[in-house]
Amino acid sequence: MDPFSDDALKIGGGISVVMASRAASRGSLTPSGILAALVVSFLSIACGFRGFILLIFYQIGTLVTKFKSNTKEKLDGTAATSARSGEQVLACSIIGVTCALAHAYFYGKEKSIDFNFDPQESILACAIIAHYAACLGDTLSSELGMLSKRSPVLISSPMKRVPHGTNGGVTPLGFFVSAVGGALIGLGAATLDFITALEVNFVAYVVYGIVCGVVGSTIDSFLGATLQVTYFDERTQLVQHSGHSQLKHVSGADVLSNVQVNLVSTLLTTAIGPMIAPIIFDLTSS
């Protein structure tokens, strides 16, 4: 499918409207979130079939966010706020969409990932995969890692136990599901490329997705532990991410918001991913 061809525009327009309508009916997005979702989903799919990776991230992310939401609300005082704003939507999509637009502008139709014959095109393709692997890996780590029966430790101080829901708190379950999230994005990207008759190394895509999912989640956790503040309300026994003198400080400085942490961590993973991609694709091809 050629970028911004008639078919691409029709498919992108139709799917973006369906996605936004479903989100509106479920109350999962605010009005600004609906508008942002319309724009990014349309642009992603209009650029090519890899734009459907955004849908994979959205669908899986929505499911895990709703999974045992009542239990999460008893651990994190902010978990009940489920409707995502435009700012939150863009934090998890704008970098990926930018890479897709750059790919469409400079290289046109999507090609097989091959660092020997098309290194620059392959870098942008891997940047898109890295971005969404980081996003889904972090989402699964945050939403499912919180449900671990083991108390998390602060990633910047591994000997320090912290309450569930603490920014930068990590568990083995959290790392495992971040790898699963990355693997799902890698598998999804490989399947999309296979459907469009591109040459695909499924193992390389999945391994690459796993690495980016774990790297993205780890960066997010380090940023959350150091530059994002967490408080604990001993009265309600809930974690809070903004507070006053009556709340106990758990970790971090009040420098970045959650949206900003997500944006920085995905940006760094999107930059790091293509640097290691040639090694992964080379090792898994032999």
Side-chain angles (χ1 to χ4, degrees):
M1 184 171 69
D2 291 323
F4 294 96
S5 63
D6 288 343
D7 287 341
L9 293 175
K10 290 175 184 177
I11 295 172
I15 291 179
S16 62
V17 169
V18 170
M19 282 184 63
S21 299
R22 290 184 63 186
S25 64
R26 295 176 178 180
S28 59
L29 295 175
T30 65
S32 66
I34 293 171
L35 178 60
L38 268 171
V39 173
V40 298
S41 58
F42 170 73
L43 290 176
S44 294
I45 297 170
C47 286
F49 267 98
R50 288 184 185 131
F52 283 93
I53 300 174
L54 172 63
L55 272 68
I56 296 172
F57 162 65
Y58 171 77
Q59 293 296 337
I60 298 175
T62 300
L63 288 174
V64 299
T65 299
K66 293 181 177 180
F67 181 69
K68 292 191 175 183
S69 58
N70 291 335
T71 301
K72 296 172 190 173
E73 290 172 17
K74 296 176 182 178
L75 300 170
D76 188 336
T78 62
T81 307
S82 57
R84 298 185 180 275
S85 66
E87 186 181 35
Q88 291 172 305
V89 171
L90 291 176
C92 294
S93 59
I94 189 65
I95 297 171
V97 173
T98 301
C99 291
L101 287 170
H103 187 287
Y105 180 79
F106 289 108
Y107 302 106
K109 190 174 182 180
E110 293 165 347
K111 304 176 183 66
S112 301
I113 295 177
D114 190 324
F115 285 94
N116 292 318
F117 292 98
D118 293 297
Q120 299 303 318
E121 186 276 338
S122 297
I123 285 173
L124 277 175
C126 286
I128 295 169
I129 297 172
H131 173 268
Y132 289 111
C135 289
L136 188 57
D138 178 59
T139 299
L140 266 61
S141 178
S142 299
E143 297 292 340
L144 300 181
M146 186 190 298
L147 301 175
S148 174
K149 294 181 179 179
R150 297 183 60 175
S151 296
V153 298
L154 197 64
I155 194 167
S156 58
S157 303
M159 301 304 293
K160 181 179 179 180
R161 295 281 177 181
V162 292
H164 287 284
T166 298
N167 295 314
V170 296
T171 63
L173 175 61
F175 280 117
F176 173 74
V177 294
S178 69
V180 171
L184 290 172
I185 292 297
L187 180 60
T191 302
L192 290 168
D193 281 2
F194 180 78
I195 290 172
T196 54
L198 298 180
E199 186 176 342
V200 174
N201 180 345
F202 275 87
V203 174
Y205 278 69
V206 172
V207 172
Y208 178 63
I210 290 172
V211 171
C212 292
V214 174
V215 168
S217 178
T218 302
I219 293 173
D220 189 279
S221 295
F222 268 110
L223 292 173
T226 55
L227 300 178
Q228 189 178 2
V229 71
T230 300
Y231 297 98
F232 185 71
D233 190 333
E234 295 183 336
R235 182 180 59 85
T236 62
Q237 295 293 295
L238 290 174
V239 162
Q240 300 287 348
H241 304 298
S242 61
H244 48 77
S245 59
Q246 296 180 356
L247 299 182
K248 178 183 177 182
H249 178 263
V250 178
S251 64
D254 192 6
V255 177
L256 298 177
S257 67
N258 188 61
V259 170
Q260 291 167 336
V261 166
N262 289 339
L263 184 62
V264 173
S265 63
T266 53
L267 175 62
L268 290 174
T269 307
T270 304
I272 294 169
M275 296 180 187
I276 60 178
I279 299 172
I280 293 174
F281 276 77
D282 181 58
L283 289 176
T284 54
S285 65
S286 55

